Amino acid sequence: MTTRSILLGTALGLTLAGSAMADVKIGSLYPFSGPLALLGEESARGLDLAVDRINSEGGIHGEQIVLERGDAVDNNQAIGEARRLISLEGVKAVFGTYSSSRVIAASQVTELAGIPYFELGAVADEVTGRGMTYLFRTNPTAENMGIAIIDMLADQIAPAAGKAPEDLKIGIIYEDSSYGTSVAGHEVAHAKERGLNVVLKSGYPANIVDMSSLVLDLKGKGVDVVLQTSYQNDTVLFLQQANEAGYEPMAIIGGGGGYSMQPTADAVGDDVIDGIYDVDFTQYAINPDFTPGIETFLDAYRAKYGEEPRSGHSLTNYVGALAVLQAIGEGEGVEPDQIVASVKAMDIPDGSTAAGYGVKFDDTNQNERARMMGMQWQDGKLVTVYPSDAAVAEIRLPE
C-alpha cells in the first residue's frame, strides 16, 4: 500500500469516526445562580431528562445531543449568555428559561441571529406576543393561570364553602415583574367577567423583606380570598407574616412559583400551608390516566437525582422539551428553518403527554393546548383538585 493510500485511509477513518461521534449542541439557558436558582435548576432538570431519553433512543438524526449551559442570573447576563451560546458554542437552538423577564431579554438575541428558542416554563404574555419567528413556547401562560384561578374559586371553592362567589371580597397581590403583573391583570379581567368583587390589587418587588403592612391592608379591607402570584421568598414571607398577624382568610390561592414547592411547605410548616390552594403547572399527585408517562418521568428523575422532584417545573420542561426534540428528530434536519418547519407541524393531542395536555402551536407560536391545574396542600402534600378529570382529592375547607 502506498503512503498516499495509507494517508487517505487514515483520513477517511478519521472522518468516519468524527461522523460517528458528531453531536448536536443545544443551549440550556436558566438562572442557575441568584435568587431564582432553585426553580431555575429544577426546570433545567426536566430538559436534562428529556435529552437523556432522546439520546438513549439514538439521538437526533443519529447524533447525540450535548447541552451547553448558560446562567441567566439576571436580564443582562441572559443576553450575554445567549450571545455566547450562539457565537462561541455554536448551539442549534436555545431551551429555557423559567423567568419571563430573562426569556424576553435573551430571545431578542436569538431572534436577530435566526436561532430557534424554545421557552418551556415562563408564563408572561409578552413572551409570545411580540411577533417573533424563531421563538416558541410549549407551556401554559399567565392568561391560562389567571383564568384557572378565578374559575376554580367561583366554580369549586366558593360553592364548597357555601358562599356566593360575588359576595366574596378578593385581594390580589403579586410580585411586579412581567410574571406577576401578567397573571394579576388576567385575574382582574376574568374576575370582572364573572362578576366577582376585587377590593385590592397591589404589586411589590420580588425581593421585598417586609409584607406586614400589606397583610394589615388585606385584613383591614376584610379580604376573604387572597390571590398571590409570587416566587419562593415572597411566598414564604407573606405566609409567615399573615400567620403572625393572625390573618386567616377563607382561602389563599397561589399562582405557581413558591406555592408549588416542597421547600416552601418545609419553610412555613404544614400547619401554615395546609388548606392553601395553588394553580400552576401539572404536579405529581394527579390522576395518572390524565397524565400518561408521568411515572416514567418520576422513575427517571429519582434515578438521576436521588430525590423527589421539588416542583412541577421539571415535569413541564421535560414534556415540552421531549415533544420539541422528537419533532426535530422526525424533521429534515437541525438547521434553523428545518427546526421551525418541524415544530410548526406538531399536532400532539390532549391526554397524550405526562402533563395531561397536547402540543400544537398557534400563529403566535404559543402552544394552544397547554393548560394549568388546580391543587391544594393537604397533609403536607400538594394534591390535584381541579379540574375534576385530573383530581385525586376533594377540596378541604378550614375546620
Side-chain angles (χ1 to χ4, degrees):
M1 182 180 291
T2 66
T3 301
R4 182 172 182 274
S5 297
I6 294 172
L7 290 175
L8 284 174
T10 302
L12 179 59
L14 289 172
T15 300
L16 291 174
S19 297
M21 298 179 66
D23 53 49
V24 177
K25 288 186 177 182
I26 288 174
S28 173
L29 184 62
Y30 293 89
F32 291 109
S33 61
L36 304 186
L38 196 156
L39 280 181
E41 177 67 36
E42 183 66 16
S43 300
R45 286 182 174 186
L47 172 60
D48 290 348
L49 289 168
V51 168
D52 287 350
R53 176 168 167 179
I54 293 295
N55 282 341
S56 72
E57 295 172 352
I60 291 180
H61 300 291
E63 299 182 0
Q64 294 286 285
I65 301 167
V66 173
L67 287 175
E68 299 289 346
R69 281 196 168 196
D71 188 1
V73 66
D74 57 32
N75 291 359
N76 287 334
Q77 190 162 333
I79 292 170
E81 288 289 80
R83 288 173 176 156
R84 178 184 66 80
L85 290 170
I86 294 168
S87 61
L88 296 182
E89 303 299 342
V91 299
K92 294 295 186 180
V94 173
F95 286 65
T97 294
Y98 165 59
S99 165
S100 295
S101 60
R102 309 291 196 273
V103 60
I104 289 168
S107 60
Q108 297 178 59
V109 174
T110 55
E111 186 73 11
L112 286 173
I115 296 295
Y117 194 128
F118 296 101
E119 181 51 45
L120 310 175
V123 303
D125 296 336
E126 306 96 295
V127 173
T128 49
R130 296 170 293 155
M132 290 189 166
T133 299
Y134 294 99
L135 175 69
F136 294 80
R137 176 164 54 183
T138 59
N139 61 276
T141 67
E143 182 176 18
N144 298 140
M145 179 177 282
I147 289 174
I149 287 170
I150 297 299
D151 285 346
M152 184 171 71
L153 171 60
D155 296 337
Q156 282 200 293
I157 299 173
K163 304 286 187 180
E166 60 272 14
D167 291 339
L168 297 172
K169 293 181 179 179
I170 299 171
I172 297 174
I173 61 175
Y174 57 96
E175 65 81 30
D176 60 6
S177 75
S178 296
Y179 161 49
T181 302
S182 292
V183 175
H186 289 296
E187 288 171 339
V188 171
H190 197 53
K192 184 177 180 181
E193 290 175 1
R194 300 221 44 180
L196 305 189
N197 182 24
V198 176
V199 300
L200 181 146
K201 177 176 179 282
S202 181
Y204 58 82
N207 61 355
I208 190 170
V209 295
D210 184 6
M211 301 183 77
S212 57
S213 61
L214 184 52
V215 170
L216 290 174
D217 200 11
L218 290 162
K219 194 173 182 180
K221 285 182 165 56
V223 169
D224 301 299
V225 179
V226 178
L227 313 181
Q228 184 182 20
T229 308
S230 48
Y231 292 111
Q232 190 194 18
N233 291 342
D234 47 323
T235 300
V236 171
L237 183 63
F238 172 71
L239 293 178
Q240 288 177 335
Q241 294 193 322
N243 183 58
E244 291 165 2
Y247 176 47
E248 298 180 353
M250 186 194 86
I252 297 174
I253 309 175
Y259 279 91
S260 301
M261 299 176 62
Q262 186 61 47
T264 299
D266 296 339
V268 302
D270 290 347
D271 57 328
V272 172
I273 206 165
D274 198 64
I276 287 176
Y277 303 92
D278 177 38
V279 168
D280 198 3
F281 302 145
T282 306
Q283 304 293 318
Y284 303 103
I286 191 168
N287 181 354
D289 293 335
F290 187 81
T291 53
I294 194 168
E295 291 299 332
T296 299
F297 167 80
L298 286 168
D299 289 345
Y301 189 104
R302 293 167 184 142
K304 188 176 181 74
Y305 301 110
E307 61 181 347
E308 296 294 317
R310 294 165 291 186
S311 83
H313 288 74
S314 49
L315 174 64
T316 298
N317 280 253
Y318 167 82
V319 167
L322 184 63
V324 167
L325 293 172
Q326 287 174 336
I328 295 172
E330 293 167 1
E332 294 185 357
V334 294
E335 295 308 311
D337 289 343
Q338 293 173 324
I339 292 175
V340 168
S342 298
V343 297
K344 278 185 172 291
M346 293 173 68
D347 190 359
I348 300 174
D350 286 331
S352 58
T353 73
Y357 52 75
V359 183
K360 184 175 176 61
F361 293 109
D362 63 18
D363 57 6
T364 71
N365 294 344
Q366 167 62 40
N367 178 14
E368 64 186 23
R369 292 178 179 157
R371 62 191 297 193
M372 295 277 185
M373 308 295 163
M375 285 73 67
Q376 186 182 36
W377 284 95
Q378 298 181 2
D379 303 323
K381 291 183 63 178
L382 189 60
V383 298
T384 304
V385 296
Y386 177 86
S388 58
D389 53 356
V392 292
E394 299 288 335
I395 283 174
R396 287 186 190 172
L397 299 174
E399 296 181 358

